[in-house]
Amino acid sequence: MKSLEQIRADFPILQRQVHGRPLVYLDNAATSQKPLPVLQAMETYYRQTNANVHRGVHTLSEEATAQYEAARSRIARFINAASAKEIIFTRNTTEAINLVAYSWGLDHLRPGDEVLITQMEHHSNIVPWQLICQRTGATLRYVPLSPEGRLRLDLLDTLLTERTKLFAFVAMSNVLGTINPVAELVAAAHRVGALALVDGAQSVPHMPVDVQALGADFLAFSSHKMCGPTGLGVLYGRRELLERMSPFQGGGDMIREVRLEGSRWNALPWKFEAGTPAIAEAIGLGAAVDYLAGLGMENVREHERTLVRYAVDRLSQVEGLRILGPTNGERGGVVAFTLEGIHPHDVAAILDAEGIAVRAGHHCAQPIHDFYGIVASARASFYFYNTPGEVDCLAAALERVQHVFAA
Ligand code: C6P
């Protein structure tokens, strides 16, 4: 594996200064930074190939189509999908989940059916199910949280019943850092005949993910959190399920034939990709997964495991600081916290003045904050290019924040 220094040199933005201080970028759960191979792949595409895909017979269009579809195949390999036909390009994780909610949910849910989600979901895995349950008359249920920020798996057997048609859950919480036992949860869903949708927005960028080993029916994730560009997400779906599902949106490219009397749909995966897709972005994500595979996802996970353990230790020593989520055992590279008597937005603003980027707010997971009786938290989130020195910078800055407010 490259040294940390070599890795950091691949990310031009990490060399910049903010307010006269070296940037300490700790907002990776919101979006990651992009390495040179991704920037170069997109620039080369626009300089040399730019054309629409699946439409032209001219050389540029054929090249663009080949590059776009090659990216799909690389992404399929990255998560060990059985076929590239199981990789649907969407705008982001949010749209991938909405695709399942509307295409599968509207056709399959009726009054008496249940959809099970959890109390630690991001809004994008709550609101689509609220909307679809309202439309279909199905009931939405939640697996509650334990005080340490894990799922109450002891209640799973009573919550998952033959009425449950879908269990949709996050693989790693963007607030608590909790890593859920995905394969176990998928198997529990399957035992009652339910499908399992995994929100992989925070897992696919940070750890090895093998959809066949997990047994997941659907997996949603976003390009921009894994070194790729914004504007692109992925829905993995098992082929036989996708084959049977209705299209999500109608328009160009998703059809085989359009007559005034009606239309027939294109084959997978294009049945779910209406209109001109995000071509440069798909090519960018192809370069991103090559970059991540080059580092090795086991190495990415190991680096973050060490870093977050250090961060939890170091931040626990800051007076009045309370970490949300598990503080021992396995945990992802996300540390959300409160500082007694200081609003998280003030914490983030003072840190920004020192060049340290963290996020403050409810992080699109209000139910978690409700559970802890708070309205917001500050959050540092790490990636493979962060260093122990940056954790020290954060801890020292937080100690100064404490002092300023105590004075
Ligand atoms: N969380 C964060 O700062 P989109 O916005 O569609 O790319 O991803 C949505 C999403 C879904 N699930 C989880 C677990 C997520 O963390 C996110 C995005 C960002 O935590 C932005 S709100």
Side-chain angles (χ1 to χ4, degrees):
M1 180 162 167
K2 290 177 172 180
S3 71
L4 199 45
E5 210 175 306
Q6 286 168 325
I7 289 173
R8 288 180 68 84
D10 287 337
F11 291 80
I13 205 168
L14 297 180
Q15 325 301 324
R16 75 161 278 186
Q17 306 238 317
V18 170
H19 303 303
R21 310 285 280 274
L23 168 67
V24 175
Y25 187 76
L26 301 179
D27 196 16
N28 293 287
T31 200
S32 73
Q33 297 303 346
K34 323 300 174 200
L36 282 168
V38 170
L39 304 178
Q40 283 157 354
M42 293 177 74
E43 187 181 342
T44 305
Y45 166 76
Y46 276 126
R47 279 176 180 270
Q48 295 182 7
T49 313
N50 181 50
N52 213 328
V53 292
H54 306 143
R55 284 157 172 84
V57 288
H58 62 79
T59 301
L60 292 193
S61 178
E62 281 178 356
E63 285 179 10
T65 304
Q67 289 177 27
Y68 177 72
E69 294 302 336
R72 193 193 306 276
S73 299
R74 278 137 86 183
I75 294 155
R77 272 199 301 280
F78 185 70
I79 58 165
N80 196 30
S83 158
K85 294 183 192 310
E86 300 182 313
I87 302 297
I88 313 292
F89 286 128
T90 62
R91 272 191 312 130
N92 44 36
T93 301
T94 305
E95 192 177 72
I97 296 172
N98 274 277
L99 191 161
V100 178
Y102 284 85
S103 290
W104 176 86
L106 282 182
D107 282 350
H108 290 88
L109 295 172
R110 26 198 129 303
D113 290 344
E114 293 179 2
V115 173
L116 182 64
I117 61 171
T118 86
Q119 204 176 357
M120 67 164 75
E121 299 309 311
H122 185 278
H123 296 166
S124 62
N125 201 25
I126 300 176
V127 185
W129 302 114
Q130 290 176 335
L131 289 167
I132 291 302
C133 286
Q134 267 165 23
R135 291 265 290 267
T136 59
T139 304
L140 187 57
R141 295 201 179 281
Y142 300 85
V143 182
L145 281 175
S146 70
E148 73 275 20
R150 298 189 196 277
L151 291 177
R152 290 280 311 273
L153 295 180
D154 54 311
L155 299 177
L156 204 56
D157 281 347
T158 46
L159 287 164
L160 269 177
T161 69
E162 75 286 353
R163 287 188 299 278
T164 316
K165 294 292 172 284
L166 178 88
F167 183 19
F169 57 89
V170 71
M172 183 187 123
S173 163
N174 67 319
V175 175
L176 305 165
T178 309
I179 297 173
N180 288 320
V182 174
E184 199 184 302
L185 299 186
V186 169
H190 288 170
R191 273 200 295 279
V192 296
L195 296 180
L197 179 149
V198 180
D199 173 351
Q202 301 292 350
S203 64
V204 175
H206 298 280
M207 60 189 73
V209 171
D210 176 334
V211 283
Q212 295 190 70
L214 295 175
D217 298 298
F218 299 106
L219 171 78
F221 54 100
S222 292
S223 154
H224 69 97
K225 294 186 200 289
M226 52 191 290
C227 296
T230 52
L232 185 78
V234 173
L235 175 70
Y236 156 82
R238 276 201 299 117
R239 188 169 172 176
E240 58 268 37
L241 291 170
L242 295 174
E243 296 278 14
R244 292 202 303 267
M245 276 160 55
S246 308
F248 175 40
Q249 294 173 335
D253 224 21
M254 51 74 71
I255 46 78
R256 173 153 300 151
E257 183 181 63
V258 177
R259 295 277 181 276
L260 293 183
E261 300 72 33
S263 304
R264 291 195 308 125
W265 317 134
N266 203 341
L268 288 178
W270 309 292
K271 176 172 95 175
F272 292 105
E273 294 179 4
T276 299
I279 304 164
E281 287 75 7
I283 290 165
L285 179 59
V289 299
D290 284 353
Y291 184 86
L292 290 171
L295 295 178
M297 290 309 290
E298 288 288 357
N299 295 327
V300 167
R301 174 71 195 120
E302 192 47 44
H303 178 77
E304 289 178 30
R305 188 182 275 136
T306 311
L307 202 61
V308 79
R309 210 175 285 146
Y310 180 57
V312 166
D313 275 1
R314 197 70 184 74
L315 296 192
S316 302
Q317 290 160 27
V318 178
E319 214 184 300
L321 190 144
R322 174 180 165 219
I323 292 174
L324 305 184
T327 47
N328 48 36
E330 273 288 272
R331 168 188 239 291
V334 164
V335 185
F337 57 90
T338 54
L339 259 188
E340 205 181 337
I342 311 174
H343 196 284
H345 281 108
D346 292 332
V347 174
I350 299 172
L351 293 180
D352 177 61
E354 301 204 14
I356 304 172
V358 299
R359 187 173 171 190
H362 54 54
H363 318 301
C364 301
Q366 262 186 305
I368 296 178
H369 289 80
D370 287 347
F371 177 75
Y372 288 111
I374 54 179
V375 289
S377 58
R379 184 190 67 186
S381 52
F382 305 100
Y383 213 4
F384 55 81
Y385 42 68
N386 288 122
T387 68
E390 289 181 313
V391 173
D392 291 334
C393 268
L394 171 69
L398 288 170
E399 270 151 10
R400 284 192 291 277
V401 174
Q402 266 294 6
H403 267 49
V404 171
F405 277 80

